[in-house]
Amino acid sequence: MPLNRRDFVTRSAATAAGAALVSGGALASATPAAAAGPDEARAKGRTKRQAFTVMGTTDLHGRVLNWDYFTDAVYADKAHNEVGLAKISTLAKQVREEKGWDRCLLIDAGDTIQGTQLTYYYARVEPIATEADTAPEHPMALAMNTMEYTAAALGNHEFNYGIDTLRAYEEQLDFPLLGANALNARNDKPAFPPYVIRKVKLGNAGPALKVGIVGLTNPGIAIWDKANVAGKMTFPGIVETAKIWVPKVKAAGADVVVIACHSGMDEATSYGDQLPWAENVSVALAEQVPGIDAVLVGHAHKEIPQRLVVNKETGKTVVLSEPLCWGQRLTCFDFEVEYDGGAWKVVSLSSRVLNSNTVPEDPEIVGLMTDQHKKVVEYVNQVIGTAKVALSIADAPFKDTAIIDLIGRVQADVVRAALAGGQYAKLPVLAQAAPFNRSAVIPAGQVKLRDAAGLYIYENTLEARILTGAQIKDYLEFSAKYYNQLAPGAPVDKATLTNAQNTPDYNYDSVYGVSYDIDVAQPVGSRIVNLSFEGRPIDPTAQFVLAVNNYRANGGGNFPHVAAAQKVWANSDEIRNAMIAWVKAKGVIDPADFAAESWRLVRAGQPVF
């Protein structure tokens, strides 16, 4: 590898200055190049207007191939989408052939190394973060290097496996990981390169155009991955940081500035006011920071081909685009520029998205993945037990289901065992769980590792916090905002009943170990009725241990009380692994051992379903 990325990061953080990567991959001072004047250009017959394209992906989440490791089959959804970098590679090659390879850049807006069993395997089973010379190459690094990515911003999920794994991944890349607002906690200097400048040669119209790419990540990392980053890194606001670095990029000679921003357009902040910086601010970024031409938006998992935002200070229109996650879409920012008055100026700019389901996988990328793919397929198909009946999560947003009770039971068992013999052993243990994956199924008969992994798709770990009965009720009331209000007698439509206030499924918790009704005819905050524990109304002052994932315990979702509650135990192993171990120990998954219809949806006391 021509450039050691960790050495580069160290130098960048130490100087916190505008050193920039240029086309050849070497470090340069990035001072503006001397340029011929417009009269000289015209005299030489140069064509002034030129085109180039910046392509972008985001939220790839470990998808290289069009394959679902949870089902061990080709990826499929109702919209006939297809996924993966192998698909994106085909699209990118088509754009490069059409526009010219030297006139195209390819960037990413974060969340690359978490999300599938492929990337989990190389973080935990055969980890890349090892001192051994035989450390494997990360599949995302292998694919993205081959595809000649220019740069990638850090996403929040880059930190899920810890900083050592992230640094090991960074070292394997032939392009920089950018994070202008990912700072060393000890000195508040950038821990990653804030930006990169790449030269694009546009014929003989003028000097090479310089494209500055700034990477910004999500402040929520400080909450969501607190255990991995606390005391090591800080993550100040995106807009505030951009106001510092965009002028520096311009001063370093950038003719065009593109932001790779791991932050949604303008959606609500999931962590409330726990941080002074909002979660989804890409629109605010475009409105408030002068000098930006385009923003590649990430984090929200939405498809937005183009959104135009006017900067409030300059009146300039900024183009924003978010390609659908997992490699389902590729954004293209199509620029037309003109060299005039000794400088490049943007004449026109638009964005579009290309659909991965319109092309085949690139055989070059597929071939690179052959050995790693085979190894992971064998891993996920290990048999870990059997199930007496099939269990589905499909109805979990609407009623208590055995498959969610299984998650609750496993978590409660783990915490009880951990607290046994200690001062909290006599406290009753409850457990939260959410329907992460609406397609998850545990089949009757043989149960494989991928079945458990498909049920719990995140790398969450387990904690135990003490809450009172009153706080448990508040917790459930907050969770119940997931439902739209439904008047008595009104028709019931499952498609519109849930996800109120844009609440995602992963932020809808039920609590295992208590019984309650959710009255969806009532307004938010007054929906939990008949809350009981062991057949009696819950005592508001009684203490309970809540088994809760680290995302929730650290404030993810902004649920009340839990982040400030006393922590009495925590584990560093994933909840998914606890489930696998539980199934292996039991041998048989029998709903009779754990399932109970402990909550239901009602309207004025009458069941909705």
Side-chain angles (χ1 to χ4, degrees):
M1 191 172 298
L3 178 63
N4 184 294
R5 295 298 167 196
R6 182 166 289 175
D7 289 346
F8 171 67
V9 166
T10 301
R11 291 195 294 271
S12 176
T15 60
L21 286 172
V22 295
S23 294
L27 290 172
S29 61
T31 55
D39 292 337
E40 182 182 346
R42 293 190 189 99
K44 293 183 178 180
R46 294 172 175 170
T47 302
K48 292 169 59 180
R49 184 168 293 194
Q50 298 289 332
F52 72 96
T53 295
V54 178
M55 300 176 287
T57 55
T58 191
D59 297 277
L60 293 166
H61 284 289
R63 270 76 177 179
V64 181
L65 303 178
N66 187 40
W67 192 261
D68 186 341
Y69 291 94
F70 297 138
T71 62
D72 195 27
V74 171
Y75 178 84
D77 67 12
K78 293 179 181 178
H80 305 292
N81 287 305
E82 297 181 357
V83 302
L85 281 170
K87 291 275 186 174
I88 293 294
S89 183
T90 300
L91 289 173
K93 284 181 176 179
Q94 289 180 351
V95 174
R96 284 163 163 160
E97 291 294 334
E98 176 190 353
K99 301 287 186 177
W101 281 71
D102 293 338
R103 292 171 177 253
C104 293
L105 303 178
L106 177 58
I107 65 176
D108 184 81
D111 278 4
T112 60
I113 63 172
Q114 177 277 336
T116 65
Q117 287 296 288
L118 177 68
T119 47
Y120 176 82
Y121 186 91
Y122 289 99
R124 290 288 189 259
V125 182
E126 192 177 331
I128 61 168
T130 174
E131 297 300 324
D133 294 335
T134 56
E137 188 163 9
H138 196 284
M140 296 299 288
L142 183 59
M144 295 175 81
N145 287 342
T146 302
M147 293 169 63
E148 299 181 25
Y149 268 77
T150 305
L154 293 162
N156 54 283
H157 283 285
E158 258 67 78
F159 294 86
N160 285 173
Y161 298 118
I163 293 174
D164 287 345
T165 296
L166 177 55
R167 290 299 193 194
Y169 172 66
E170 181 189 26
E171 283 192 353
Q172 294 187 2
L173 298 176
D174 292 339
F175 55 88
L177 282 179
L178 305 178
N181 63 327
L183 308 181
N184 281 309
R186 67 181 183 276
N187 57 18
D188 288 335
K189 293 182 178 180
F192 295 84
Y195 69 90
V196 62
I197 292 180
R198 293 296 299 264
K199 291 181 179 179
V200 179
K201 184 62 179 174
L202 299 174
N204 295 318
L209 178 139
K210 294 180 178 180
V211 180
I213 303 161
V214 181
L216 293 159
T217 193
N218 207 288
I221 295 166
I223 291 176
W224 304 321
D225 264 306
K226 182 178 180 180
N228 289 328
V229 302
K232 300 174 183 177
M233 291 187 187
T234 60
F235 303 88
I238 287 171
V239 175
E240 294 80 2
T241 302
K243 287 180 178 178
I244 297 170
W245 284 101
V246 171
K248 290 185 178 183
V249 175
K250 298 288 284 186
D255 302 295
V256 169
V257 175
V258 178
I259 308 291
C261 187
H262 196 74
S263 176
M265 291 285 184
D266 50 9
E267 294 86 348
T269 296
S270 67
Y271 46 77
D273 60 359
Q274 296 178 82
L275 295 173
W277 306 291
E279 179 178 356
N280 297 300
V281 295
S282 288
V283 169
L285 171 72
E287 287 179 336
Q288 298 176 30
V289 183
I292 298 170
D293 294 285
V295 182
L296 177 65
V297 178
H299 186 60
H301 291 206
K302 293 184 177 181
E303 180 180 349
I304 304 174
Q306 179 173 276
R307 182 164 175 179
L308 304 179
V309 175
V310 175
N311 184 269
K312 292 180 178 179
E313 181 174 329
T314 65
K316 175 183 174 180
T317 298
V318 184
V319 179
L320 295 80
S321 179
E322 181 175 7
L324 193 59
C325 60
W326 304 351
Q328 294 174 87
R329 304 290 186 272
L330 174 69
T331 280
C332 292
F333 292 104
D334 295 313
F335 286 82
E336 279 195 341
V337 294
E338 186 173 89
Y339 190 72
D340 192 17
W344 286 105
K345 298 177 181 177
V346 176
V347 176
S348 70
L349 170 58
S350 62
S351 62
R352 55 196 166 102
V353 294
L354 305 178
N355 195 326
S356 290
N357 70 10
T358 62
V359 296
E361 292 183 304
D362 183 347
E364 181 180 18
I365 303 301
V366 174
L368 288 173
M369 292 296 114
T370 299
D371 292 341
Q372 291 179 322
H373 174 69
K374 181 180 178 181
K375 185 179 292 187
V376 174
V377 167
E378 291 175 353
Y379 166 73
V380 300
N381 279 296
Q382 297 177 65
V383 176
I384 60 173
T386 60
K388 281 197 170 183
V389 296
L391 303 177
S392 171
I393 206 172
D395 287 335
F398 312 105
K399 60 183 180 181
D400 194 356
T401 58
I403 202 167
I404 295 294
D405 288 343
L406 173 61
I407 298 173
R409 171 63 184 275
V410 170
Q411 293 179 144
D413 282 359
V414 170
V415 169
R416 284 193 194 97
L419 299 181
Q423 66 181 107
Y424 305 107
K426 293 184 178 180
L427 291 180
V429 178
L430 313 177
Q432 60 84 217
F436 293 144
N437 177 10
R438 288 201 187 193
S439 63
V441 174
I442 293 178
Q446 281 191 343
V447 177
K448 298 179 178 179
L449 184 147
R450 61 181 169 85
D451 300 318
L455 176 59
Y456 210 104
I457 60 176
Y458 297 111
E459 275 63 62
N460 293 339
T461 58
L462 191 59
E463 297 189 11
R465 302 282 179 121
I466 294 180
L467 272 71
T468 66
Q471 290 173 328
I472 292 294
K473 185 176 186 298
D474 289 345
Y475 189 101
L476 289 168
E477 287 284 10
F478 182 86
S479 186
K481 71 182 179 64
Y482 175 73
Y483 297 102
N484 283 298
Q485 194 167 0
L486 190 64
V492 178
D493 181 359
K494 287 185 176 181
T496 60
L497 180 59
T498 63
N499 305 104
Q501 303 179 39
N502 293 316
T503 303
D505 292 347
Y506 62 77
N507 275 342
Y508 171 59
D509 285 0
S510 56
V511 174
Y512 181 83
V514 291
S515 297
Y516 54 96
D517 292 341
I518 304 174
D519 192 337
V520 292
Q522 300 303 315
V524 170
S526 302
R527 292 178 168 178
I528 302 301
V529 294
N530 301 323
L531 177 60
S532 63
F533 174 70
E534 293 184 340
R536 295 185 297 275
I538 200 165
D539 180 353
T541 64
Q543 287 190 323
F544 298 85
V545 174
L546 181 66
V548 61
N549 67 52
N550 67 301
Y551 172 81
R552 190 71 76 235
N554 289 334
N558 202 31
F559 277 63
H561 307 304
V562 65
Q566 180 185 357
K567 178 166 65 175
V568 295
W569 177 83
N571 191 14
S572 61
D573 196 16
E574 287 90 358
I575 293 170
R576 178 194 300 129
N577 290 338
M579 293 180 60
I580 292 168
W582 190 92
V583 173
K584 285 181 176 180
K586 293 286 185 180
V588 178
I589 300 174
D590 184 355
D593 293 339
F594 54 83
E597 294 186 11
S598 58
W599 68 267
R600 61 179 183 166
L601 296 181
V602 300
R603 285 187 295 183
Q606 297 302 309
V608 176
F609 300 108

